[in-house]
Amino acid sequence: MSTTISRRIVVIGTGTGVGKTWLSCELLRALRAQGRRVLGLKPIESGVSDEAPTDGGLLADAALGDPERARALEIAAPYRLLEPISPHLAARRSGRSINVELALTYVQDCESAPLPGGPVEVSLVETAGGLFSPLDQNATNWDFARALDPSRWLLVAPDALGVLHDLTATLLAAGARGRAPDAIALCCARPQDASTGTNAAEVERLGVARRPFVFPDDGSAGIEALLANLLE
Ligand SMILES: Nc1ncnc2c1ncn2[C@@H]1O[C@H](COP(=O)(O)OP(=O)(O)OP(=O)(O)O)[C@@H](O)[C@H]1O
Ligand SMILES: [Mg+2]
């Protein structure tokens, strides 16, 4: 099915629990506040349970602000895996395997369905875990993100000790595969440590990447600048 989407944002991470969902929801709420018709999707998710909100549910709520429509979008995701382990293993242990093409089709189908008021203008897709987390024997999130091109890749990392290594390693590996992220953001997804607040400047000074956007606390200050970058 063809898609009329004008911009697709793919949120990738240096690992799990780095702030991808938190930042995605902030971006989606900011887009909605601008009056844009947006979608937030998590096609592949492990650790899905009734006990806690899923990332897919949080993203759909932030994007749509309509619980019924959001729930329908959330539960239509093709890979809602129960075990809180790597998606490739959660899939295998439930007798399934993850097909990147099927995940891509879900995204395209969601993008093609109009929202109240008109077609989807911006879609955001959160990947599961880190950029090189395995989805199957032969595919990682890098392959899924690549299948979602043309898009803008936002790499999220924690503003915490170890991030200089993790960003360097992720960017080196992505560069070796031939596709670098378009923007980088540091989130306070870990308890603060002595490096928190210093990392963005060091990333730039060490030549690891252009200075990342930083989200030091539970607020949306700075979100407009990141959005402008992602939509340019
Ligand atoms: N800037 C921030 N301010 C406050 N809390 C934050 C911020 N960024 C992340 N967090 C918190 O850090 C925790 C982990 O973030 P989040 O769930 O977004 O990570 P994730 O990368 O989406 O994880 P997963 O790999 O499980 O999808 C959450 O409790 C989230 O609320
Ligand atoms: Mg998440």
Side-chain angles (χ1 to χ4, degrees):
M1 194 182 291
S2 72
T3 155
T4 55
I5 192 80
S6 59
R7 173 63 75 202
R8 186 188 280 154
I9 298 167
V10 178
V11 180
I12 57 179
T14 53
T16 187
V18 295
K20 297 184 300 293
T21 305
W22 182 87
L23 186 55
S24 297
C25 289
E26 292 295 328
L27 287 168
L28 291 165
R29 279 190 282 266
L31 282 162
R32 197 150 58 85
Q34 291 177 359
R36 298 195 194 242
R37 289 182 297 275
V38 294
L39 277 184
L41 305 170
K42 178 120 175 177
I44 302 164
E45 179 165 1
S46 59
V48 169
S49 89
D50 292 336
E51 310 296 309
T54 66
D55 285 2
L58 292 169
L59 296 170
D61 273 337
L64 301 174
D66 171 346
E68 213 169 298
R69 194 177 281 271
R71 179 73 183 149
L73 193 66
E74 174 195 2
I75 62 176
Y79 298 105
R80 290 166 36 84
L81 304 161
L82 302 187
E83 284 195 88
I85 51 179
S86 169
H88 85 289
L89 191 54
R92 192 200 305 155
R93 286 174 29 163
S94 61
R96 303 183 66 193
S97 64
I98 293 174
N99 180 332
V100 165
E101 286 301 314
L102 189 68
L104 174 64
T105 300
Y106 163 70
V107 172
Q108 290 171 331
D109 286 351
C110 293
E111 289 170 344
S112 300
L115 291 173
V120 176
E121 294 170 283
V122 181
S123 71
L124 179 152
V125 181
E126 182 188 340
T127 55
L131 183 56
F132 294 96
S133 297
L135 298 179
D136 197 4
Q137 192 66 29
N138 301 308
T140 68
N141 278 315
W142 190 90
D143 299 288
F144 182 37
R146 203 73 181 84
L148 288 163
D149 271 334
S151 61
R152 300 278 285 172
W153 288 12
L154 169 62
L155 175 62
V156 182
D159 191 0
L161 204 56
V163 74
L164 299 177
H165 168 273
D166 292 350
L167 267 182
T168 303
T170 303
L171 293 171
L172 280 174
R177 297 285 304 271
R179 169 65 157 99
D182 299 293
I184 301 173
L186 303 184
C187 281
C188 75
R190 304 272 152 80
Q192 289 212 354
D193 61 45
S195 83
T196 305
T198 69
N199 291 304
E202 291 312 304
V203 165
E204 188 176 37
R205 190 170 328 191
L206 293 167
V208 174
R210 275 190 302 176
R211 200 185 185 94
F213 294 84
V214 183
F215 296 90
D217 53 30
D218 210 350
S220 58
I223 209 78
E224 299 292 338
L226 175 57
L227 259 188
N229 179 295
L230 292 170
L231 297 180
E232 86 189 5

